[in-house]
Amino acid sequence: MPTHPLLHEDQLDYTPTTRSVPLARQRVARLAVEWGYRARADDIAVVASEVLTNALLHGSLRDRLIRVRLAADAAGLRIEVSDPRGERLPEARDACHGEQFGRGLAIVGALADKWGVCPRGGVGKTVWAEWEPVPASGAGAPPALSETSG
C-alpha cells in the first residue's frame, strides 16, 4: 500500500487460542463498518478469521502473541496478521474434494483485492490483505431496475 497519512489504525494482540478468532473477526467487522467499508465488512472479517486461523495452526508458538492490525488511508484498507514463525510461510494450494483444510488462502485471494506475506522485523512474518477504497454512496452502484407495466 502506498504511503499516505493514516485515517484510522487499530491493533490488538491475541493469545494463540481458537477463542481469539471470533473475537478478532467481530472487532475487524465492527471497525470496517465504522471506517466506511460497510459493503466489504463481511469479506474483511472472513479474511481476518482465515489469516488468523492460519497463524494459529502454522505460525504460533506457546506464550507468544499474534498481532492483528487494521489500518485505513486514502489508498484503502489493510489488515495484517503477524505471528512469530517466519520460517513457516503460507502457501496457497488446491484442496482435494472432501478435505477439511487447505482452502483458506484461496478464500483470502477471492475476497481481498490483493494479499501477500512479508518478513517481520526481527522474528516472524506478517500476512496482509488489502482492499481499495469503497466508492462514495451511490457511485459505482449498479443502476436500479425500473418496472414497466405491461
Side-chain angles (χ1 to χ4, degrees), residues 46-97:
V46 169
V47 168
S49 64
E50 290 295 336
V51 176
L52 183 53
T53 298
N54 279 350
L56 290 172
L57 292 173
H58 308 294
S60 65
L61 293 172
R62 188 178 188 156
D63 300 326
R64 295 289 305 271
L65 300 175
I66 296 172
R67 174 164 292 163
V68 177
R69 178 179 179 264
L70 194 64
D73 63 19
L77 183 134
R78 178 179 174 116
I79 187 165
E80 299 174 350
V81 176
S82 300
D83 68 56
R85 305 263 326 253
E87 75 280 5
R88 299 204 60 191
L89 298 178
E91 188 175 312
R93 65 181 188 90
D94 292 326
C96 295
H97 180 72

Side-chain angles (χ1 to χ4, degrees), residues 2 7 13 21 23 26 30 41-44 50 53 65 69 77 80 95 100-101 107-108 114 120-121 129 135 139 141:
L7 301 172
D13 293 338
V21 175
L23 296 174
Q26 292 167 2
R30 179 180 52 80
D42 289 340
D43 291 351
I44 294 165
E50 290 295 336
T53 298
L65 300 175
R69 178 179 179 264
L77 183 134
E80 299 174 350
Q100 184 177 358
F101 298 100
I107 292 169
V108 170
K114 52 186 160 176
R120 190 172 170 195

